[in-house]
Amino acid sequence: DGGITQSPKYLFRKEGQNVTLSCEQNLNHDAMYWYRQDPGQGLRLIYYSQIVNDFQKGDIAEGYSVSREKKESFPLTVTSAQKNPTAFYLCASSITSGNTGELFFGEGSRLTVL
Amino acid sequence: QQQVKQSPQSLIVQKGGISIINCAYENTAFDYFPWYQQFPGKGPALLIAIRPDVSEKKEGRFTISFNKSAKQFSLHIMDSQPGDSATYFCAASSAGTGKLIFGQGTTLQVKP
């Protein structure tokens, strides 16, 4: 089945550690996105990529890093510089980067900093 | 100017009732307005979307009403069912930006 796979579903991290969240899609979509979800704040864009080997900062990129070496993969690293990393992270993709329509989301990764 | 403001934050409706969620925006360049539905522990999924050339779009029990002059749009869920209990997000984007701006979300509970 086509879709977006995020892993791990749950992740615990000690303060000061970097962690990497995986996002893989087999929809052959050009654009991929990372959002952070916190209660009462909606979904906030961290980074997005319109094409392989290119990505742009979203609204809350500080403390995060990404790479886009392959079309189907867009991993997110939460670095120790992120001051409040405990959140639900959602990866999404779309056919193109323009507002032509639908974002397809994965099931999310819940990160807890101990 | 990039914000999308959504209300109410939470909503409780009896089965068979009408659920109404409202959103407002400032950026007049926005030209695509989707609504997403999210069940607990899952990612959001597109429910219905509208572009500003129409004032209303209906798909089954779900209707978007759009008021361009007021820069507001709303989601109406007719004959609400317990299975509709979820979090709903409005969103907006403008052509070519590649960025979808989401509202704060509304948690809907439909009581049987």
Side-chain angles (χ1 to χ4, degrees):
Chain A
D1 285 354
I4 297 181
T5 301
Q6 289 187 240
S7 63
K9 196 171 180 70
Y10 299 96
L11 184 61
F12 298 89
R13 177 194 107 172
K14 293 181 180 179
E15 283 192 23
Q17 288 181 334
N18 293 354
V19 293
T20 298
L21 307 181
S22 171
C23 179
E24 303 279 332
Q25 56 103 353
N26 60 4
L27 300 168
N28 200 32
H29 286 173
D30 287 326
M32 296 187 74
Y33 311 80
W34 275 104
Y35 285 89
R36 170 178 171 146
Q37 184 174 5
D38 297 283
Q41 297 194 53
L43 281 69
R44 293 180 292 167
L45 184 63
I46 304 172
Y47 268 98
Y48 64 107
S49 169
Q50 299 171 325
I51 197 170
V52 174
N53 292 322
D54 187 41
F55 48 83
Q56 289 79 40
K57 292 182 179 180
D59 301 316
I60 56 166
E62 184 175 352
Y64 300 97
S65 65
V66 294
S67 63
R68 187 86 187 275
E69 297 176 0
K70 299 185 296 182
K71 185 175 184 177
E72 59 271 22
S73 179
F74 191 42
L76 173 74
T77 296
V78 184
T79 76
S80 57
Q82 169 49 233
K83 295 178 181 178
N84 185 21
T86 294
F88 189 54
Y89 291 89
L90 287 159
C91 179
S93 70
S94 64
I95 295 175
T96 66
S97 61
N99 66 334
T100 53
E102 189 171 358
L103 287 186
F104 292 81
F105 284 88
E107 295 203 335
S109 292
R110 186 168 297 280
L111 172 63
T112 302
V113 174
L114 304 174
Chain B
Q1 201 179 24
Q2 289 294 318
Q3 282 188 326
V4 177
K5 295 183 179 180
Q6 183 173 346
S7 63
Q9 187 173 359
S10 63
L11 182 62
I12 299 174
V13 173
Q14 291 296 127
K15 178 182 176 182
I18 302 173
S19 303
I20 301 174
I21 305 170
N22 301 298
C23 284
Y25 64 97
E26 291 294 326
N27 188 348
T28 55
F30 286 153
D31 61 357
Y32 174 65
F33 303 90
W35 285 89
Y36 280 78
Q37 179 188 55
Q38 183 184 31
F39 293 105
K42 303 293 185 181
L46 180 66
L47 184 63
I48 187 173
I50 197 168
R51 295 193 185 271
D53 52 343
V54 296
S55 61
E56 186 175 282
K57 183 174 181 180
K58 183 176 181 179
E59 291 184 1
R61 297 185 293 108
F62 300 90
T63 300
I64 299 179
S65 296
F66 185 80
N67 186 329
K68 190 173 181 178
S69 61
K71 291 184 286 187
Q72 295 176 346
F73 58 110
S74 60
L75 176 69
H76 292 64
I77 305 174
M78 311 300 289
D79 187 26
S80 298
Q81 299 296 312
D84 297 330
S85 297
T87 300
Y88 292 82
F89 294 96
C90 63
S93 70
S94 55
T97 65
K99 293 172 61 174
L100 198 57
I101 308 299
F102 285 86
Q104 294 82 359
T106 297
T107 301
L108 170 65
Q109 181 183 358
V110 181
K111 290 193 169 183

